Amino acid sequence: MAHSGLFRKGQIQITCQLCEIPNRKISWKCEDCDLLMCGNCRENIHSKVKTSEDHHIINIKDIGKEENKANEKIKISNIKCNTHQHQTCCLFCKDCSKVVCSICITDVHNGHKLQNINEAYELKIKYLNDRQERTKRMLEELELRENDLAEIESDRRLKHNETKQAILAEKETIIKTINRRAEKFFEKLDTELETIIVSVDCEKSQLVRAKVSLKEKLKITTNALKLKNFVHILENELKSDTQPLPIRTENNYCNSISYFVPASIKEVHLGTLQTYINAHPKTFNVILKVKKNIRTKLPCIHAIATGNDEATWITDSRNGKLQMVIPGNEEVLVIVDINIVVFSMAIVPSGDLLVATGDSVLKIINSKTVKLTKSIYSAFDQIITAVHLTEENNLILGARSKEIRFAPTGRKVLIVMNLDGEIQTIWEFDRGNKPLFTYPRYITSNKKGNIGIVDWFSDEGNGRVVILSPNGNILNVYDGQPDMKTRQLGGIVSTKADNFIVTDPRTNTLHILNSNGKCVYRFNTLSIGIQSPYYLAFQKSGKLYIGTLNLKQQNLFELTYSGC
């Protein structure tokens, strides 16, 4: 490192260049003043310099590091003029995109649009940073598209192979069926032929015996005629020698051999090829467009509640701030500002706001007087962690025991009650008698009555989405992208098409699930300039608001949404 030899044995010891007191440890260097300082002089002497706030001070251990060089401020106060070497540039000519000195202004740039060098530099840096961010977002979008195409190709190849295997299996089944049918035909024909052969052989034997008998009688008659023994002829002539011929047995074999009648359908009906419906999640055409970038005074937005009018409630639970605001074109107009920690909230039909503040009873804020009081909605001895109002004006409360929030023991329940505070049902276990939740953090529901719950496993938001049917049965459990180990699930909202949208601020992703909780699309919000999306809320008019955790930009966005 550049400073590694400063204090080697045998070399002259360098003292603080401000106090010059021997043996005082040098710890800092001011890059702007080019001074080495001790800690005392940095705090008590250098800090009194008027411009010291803008100076770049580094630890001497970091001198020469590449990352430190990248952060060095460019000194633009002593830029020499290329045309007039003895002059220092004082302004920036916007028309010519050139730094100029006072002589340049008089000679060439008189009447041009001039700007302070520092301002021009800052604007240029901002433009370059913005362009860099846009380029990065475009590259990320291209990478997402490449990944989508790779997934589509892989999916189609898999489906192609599966379909071919299904056709081959059906072909083998049909061949085996035909073979079995042919064997039965052969067996029947062989049986018929065997029966006929037996009948024919039997009749043949009878005919042979009859022929032998007739030949014997013919011989006797012939001999008698040759001897001309009239007495013998006359005496034998009176005896009956008539013998009937064997009876024909043709009924046993005539017309008893079957003949084959081919099927009238010459082409075997193997099956049909049909197109997969929603074969790949990326076939959905989800369109999100930012209408407004709105600045708030809250560092983060952890929940949003919208009603029938423009007034909107937003909260920063980490810093204990709750505000009623009216979103403008560039910033919000703050109507109400309350210092209170709010984890979840919902607006009831009267316009009052229900808030979960970390105890077992919901608080209610009167929309007219803004007075905070206890409501009639209680989770008994459980801590309320989430509140949601359904289309049927029922309240769904997520609650847990007062133990450590992510402890395996203790109760974690979902309580459904009407607006009169009467409990309709409580869900705690699945059909296998296992707990349904670990920490029900956010809740929503669609018009079908299916309920979406963001269930956290840790304070970092790592968790899953549990989708329940109206009777409390699990329809699906969505764990996010399996390849994304750093996911962080935030708020959840239902759409007009009864799908669910879940935020993932760590990966800048909106996970879009169908009504049963199957993922149908993933949308990267960096493609529309939104970083770290956390909470979503639809207004009755259809406006979509997204609150973010990003401190570097406007953190409330109004969007138009269309698609699934």
Side-chain angles (χ1 to χ4, degrees):
M1 297 175 65
H3 70 289
S4 59
L6 292 179
F7 302 104
R8 287 177 184 169
K9 189 175 180 180
Q11 293 183 347
I12 299 174
Q13 185 177 8
I14 298 177
T15 59
C16 172
Q17 291 178 288
L18 288 178
C19 65
E20 297 184 349
I21 297 176
N23 300 322
R24 179 160 289 185
K25 182 180 179 181
I26 303 215
S27 303
W28 307 98
K29 179 181 180 181
C30 175
E31 294 289 314
D32 294 271
C33 301
D34 196 23
L35 289 175
L36 295 173
M37 301 177 289
C38 62
N40 182 63
C41 289
R42 180 195 174 187
E43 297 295 329
N44 300 316
I45 299 177
H46 183 271
S47 62
K48 295 179 181 179
V49 177
K50 288 184 179 181
T51 60
S52 63
E53 291 182 358
D54 298 326
H55 286 198
H56 188 222
I57 300 175
I58 61 172
N59 193 299
I60 61 170
K61 295 179 181 179
D62 297 329
I63 295 175
K65 286 185 178 180
E66 290 299 323
E67 59 269 24
N68 182 57
K69 290 181 180 180
N71 292 326
E72 289 181 357
K73 291 185 177 179
I74 298 175
K75 298 179 181 180
I76 56 178
S77 58
N78 296 314
I79 300 175
K80 297 297 181 182
C81 178
N82 289 332
T83 307
H84 310 95
Q85 299 295 328
H86 60 288
Q87 292 290 322
T88 301
C89 293
C90 56
L91 292 172
F92 176 74
C93 178
K94 296 173 69 175
D95 293 337
C96 304
S97 295
K98 188 176 181 181
V99 289
V100 295
C101 67
S102 56
I103 299 176
C104 291
I105 296 171
T106 304
D107 291 348
V108 180
H109 303 277
N110 190 17
H112 290 189
K113 293 180 181 178
L114 302 174
Q115 189 178 23
N116 181 279
I117 290 180
N118 290 300
E119 291 178 1
Y121 175 76
E122 292 298 328
L123 287 173
K124 186 71 73 171
I125 289 297
K126 184 178 184 304
Y127 169 77
L128 292 174
N129 285 333
D130 290 345
R131 188 170 71 177
Q132 185 183 50
E133 288 299 318
R134 285 196 302 272
T135 304
K136 286 180 180 179
R137 289 198 296 269
M138 291 171 69
L139 285 172
E140 289 176 354
E141 180 63 24
L142 289 177
E143 289 178 1
L144 285 173
R145 292 184 185 181
E146 286 179 350
N147 292 337
D148 289 347
L149 290 174
E151 288 182 23
I152 290 172
E153 182 182 5
S154 175
D155 178 77
R156 295 304 187 270
R157 288 186 180 277
L158 178 62
K159 293 289 190 298
H160 171 267
N161 186 58
E162 289 175 351
T163 303
K164 286 189 70 174
Q165 294 304 316
I167 292 171
L168 289 173
E170 184 67 13
K171 174 185 172 184
E172 291 299 320
T173 300
I174 291 174
I175 290 173
K176 288 178 181 178
T177 302
I178 292 173
N179 286 338
R180 285 196 300 269
R181 186 67 173 165
E183 289 298 324
K184 288 183 179 179
F185 285 159
F186 295 152
E187 288 176 7
K188 184 180 179 185
L189 284 171
D190 291 345
T191 301
E192 290 175 352
L193 180 60
E194 185 178 351
T195 302
I196 291 170
I197 295 300
V198 169
S199 298
V200 169
D201 288 343
C202 181
E203 190 167 344
K204 280 182 178 180
S205 297
Q206 292 177 4
L207 293 176
V208 168
R209 288 195 297 271
K211 285 174 70 177
V212 170
S213 177
L214 289 173
K215 286 180 178 180
E216 185 64 29
K217 289 180 179 180
L218 178 62
K219 181 180 180 182
I220 294 171
T221 302
T222 302
N223 290 335
L225 290 172
K226 286 181 178 180
L227 293 174
K228 296 181 179 181
N229 186 338
F230 295 103
V231 175
H232 180 74
I233 292 172
L234 289 171
E235 288 179 355
N236 280 281
E237 206 174 14
L238 297 175
K239 294 180 180 180
S240 175
D241 58 357
T242 304
Q243 181 178 351
L245 292 175
I247 299 172
R248 294 286 304 271
T249 58
E250 59 184 13
N251 289 336
N252 292 328
Y253 51 82
C254 289
N255 301 321
S256 60
I257 288 291
S258 301
Y259 65 93
F260 180 67
V261 180
S264 58
I265 300 175
K266 296 298 182 182
E267 183 177 345
V268 177
H269 184 62
L270 183 63
T272 59
L273 288 176
Q274 296 184 359
T275 304
Y276 281 96
I277 298 175
N278 301 333
H280 192 270
K282 301 300 182 292
T283 57
F284 277 83
N285 185 26
V286 176
I287 301 174
L288 279 169
K289 292 183 179 179
V290 176
K291 287 187 66 178
K292 295 180 183 178
N293 297 1
I294 308 169
R295 185 167 50 253
T296 77
K297 294 182 180 179
L298 302 184
C300 302
I301 296 179
H302 294 106
I304 304 170
T306 61
N308 294 322
D309 53 14
E310 286 296 318
T312 299
W313 289 92
I314 57 177
T315 183
D316 179 351
S317 59
R318 185 174 300 165
N319 294 288
K321 277 288 186 179
L322 173 66
Q323 293 180 344
M324 177 196 282
V325 300
I326 296 178
N329 290 325
E330 294 183 356
E331 59 184 24
V332 298
L333 174 63
V334 179
I335 307 299
V336 177
D337 192 344
I338 305 173
N339 293 323
I340 184 174
V341 175
V342 174
F343 297 103
S344 183
M345 54 187 176
I347 297 177
V348 294
S350 64
D352 297 340
L353 182 71
L354 292 175
V355 292
T357 57
D359 55 27
S360 60
V361 179
L362 289 177
K363 305 294 192 306
I364 187 166
I365 298 177
N366 188 287
S367 60
K368 297 178 180 178
T369 64
V370 200
K371 185 178 179 181
L372 179 71
T373 57
K374 283 189 176 182
S375 74
I376 61 173
Y377 310 114
S378 171
F380 308 107
D381 60 341
Q382 311 293 306
I383 294 175
I384 299 174
T385 58
V387 56
H388 167 68
L389 184 70
T390 69
E391 290 278 336
E392 293 77 24
N393 286 331
N394 287 324
L395 286 174
I396 303 178
L397 308 182
R400 64 172 178 83
S401 298
K402 295 180 180 179
E403 304 172 16
I404 299 173
R405 67 181 72 184
F406 302 109
T409 57
R411 301 184 65 191
K412 294 97 176 181
V413 300
L414 223 61
I415 304 172
V416 182
M417 61 176 63
N418 60 28
L419 289 179
D420 293 327
E422 299 172 344
I423 293 178
Q424 309 293 317
T425 185
I426 296 177
W427 292 316
E428 184 174 1
F429 301 104
D430 61 15
R431 290 180 176 177
N433 206 33
K434 294 181 180 179
L436 283 169
F437 319 106
T438 300
Y439 184 133
R441 185 63 184 87
Y442 293 106
I443 305 171
T444 191
S445 64
N446 60 22
K447 293 189 290 294
K448 291 183 177 180
N450 293 347
I451 304 167
I453 304 100
V454 172
D455 185 34
W456 278 5
F457 301 151
S458 67
D459 276 324
E460 288 73 30
N462 187 31
R464 59 183 185 165
V465 181
V466 180
I467 306 296
L468 300 181
S469 67
N471 58 5
N473 293 326
I474 293 179
L475 296 176
N476 191 49
V477 175
Y478 177 66
D479 294 327
Q481 295 170 254
D483 54 329
M484 287 291 185
K485 297 180 181 179
T486 59
R487 66 178 180 274
Q488 176 187 16
L489 298 180
I492 183 170
V493 70
S494 63
T495 71
K496 289 182 178 179
D498 289 330
N499 296 307
F500 297 101
I501 308 177
V502 186
T503 65
D504 187 345
R506 191 164 293 167
T507 61
N508 306 297
T509 304
L510 300 182
H511 302 264
I512 300 176
L513 317 180
N514 66 16
S515 182
N516 293 326
K518 301 291 185 182
C519 183
V520 295
Y521 196 75
R522 293 194 294 266
F523 184 91
N524 188 286
T525 58
L526 289 177
S527 64
I528 55 174
I530 298 178
Q531 187 174 350
S532 303
Y534 189 80
Y535 199 88
L536 311 97
F538 277 103
Q539 259 198 343
K540 296 291 183 181
S541 62
K543 293 178 182 177
L544 175 62
Y545 286 109
I546 294 183
T548 75
L549 303 181
N550 187 8
L551 306 179
K552 299 179 181 179
Q553 65 174 17
Q554 291 107 327
N555 57 2
L556 182 64
F557 293 83
E558 180 186 314
L559 300 94
T560 56
Y561 171 87
S562 61
C564 57

